[in-house]
Amino acid sequence: MRIGEVAGKSGVPASTLRYYEEIGLIPAPVRVSGQRHYDAGIFSILHTIQTAQQAGFTLREIREMMQHDDWRSQWHQMAREKLVDVKQAIAHYRDMQSILEMSLQCTCSGPDDCMVLVQRR
């Protein structure tokens, strides 16, 4: 399949496919008369990239994973590390939510008598 067909079927723009090739995220396709021709396996690779991005991995991290000899072990290790970051971010956002919700209940006249601020000191 030519790059336009892959782009159309996958929803990944041709420019992104060229970029992925440039940074080593996808293998360079066979060229016929100067045009890129991909085999059907490209869709599995693109799906893996999209899923990893949805999980919060950067393109650099995804490339590292995909180039690793033991892809599964590498994915598990990096997923465990990413999960720690996600849990910390969730805790941070819950804290933010709590402060904002409490502040909407506050009837103070200023920072000195604000219960939200007093509780946080």
Side-chain angles (χ1 to χ4, degrees):
M1 280 174 281
R2 292 189 318 235
I3 195 167
E5 295 173 272
V6 173
K9 290 181 181 180
S10 68
V12 176
S15 59
T16 300
L17 292 169
R18 287 189 288 275
Y19 178 67
Y20 286 174
E21 179 186 342
E22 181 184 318
I23 65 170
L25 194 56
I26 62 173
V30 173
R31 293 204 182 228
V32 178
S33 299
Q35 293 185 343
R36 292 169 171 86
H37 283 264
Y38 297 88
D39 64 33
I42 191 65
F43 296 109
S44 176
I45 295 169
L46 294 174
H47 179 71
T48 299
I49 292 167
Q50 290 170 333
T51 302
Q53 284 181 307
Q54 289 173 336
F57 291 106
T58 65
L59 293 179
R60 183 192 57 77
E61 291 170 325
I62 296 167
R63 183 181 64 225
E64 180 182 326
M65 249 186 280
M66 293 178 77
Q67 291 176 344
H68 200 275
D69 290 337
D70 187 358
W71 182 87
R72 184 173 173 219
S73 292
Q74 186 68 9
W75 173 275
H76 286 187
Q77 176 187 338
M78 293 175 80
R80 280 189 292 273
E81 293 168 6
K82 187 68 68 179
L83 192 54
V84 169
D85 295 341
V86 168
K87 287 180 178 182
Q88 288 173 347
I90 289 170
H92 173 72
Y93 283 113
R94 283 193 179 130
D95 208 24
M96 286 174 57
Q97 179 183 5
S98 175
I99 292 168
L100 292 170
E101 287 173 346
M102 287 185 335
S103 72
L104 291 174
Q105 306 286 326
C106 187
T107 58
C108 68
S109 60
D112 292 335
D113 70 335
C114 179
M115 290 310 297
V116 174
L117 296 175
V118 170
Q119 288 178 4
R120 308 286 305 170
R121 289 185 188 149

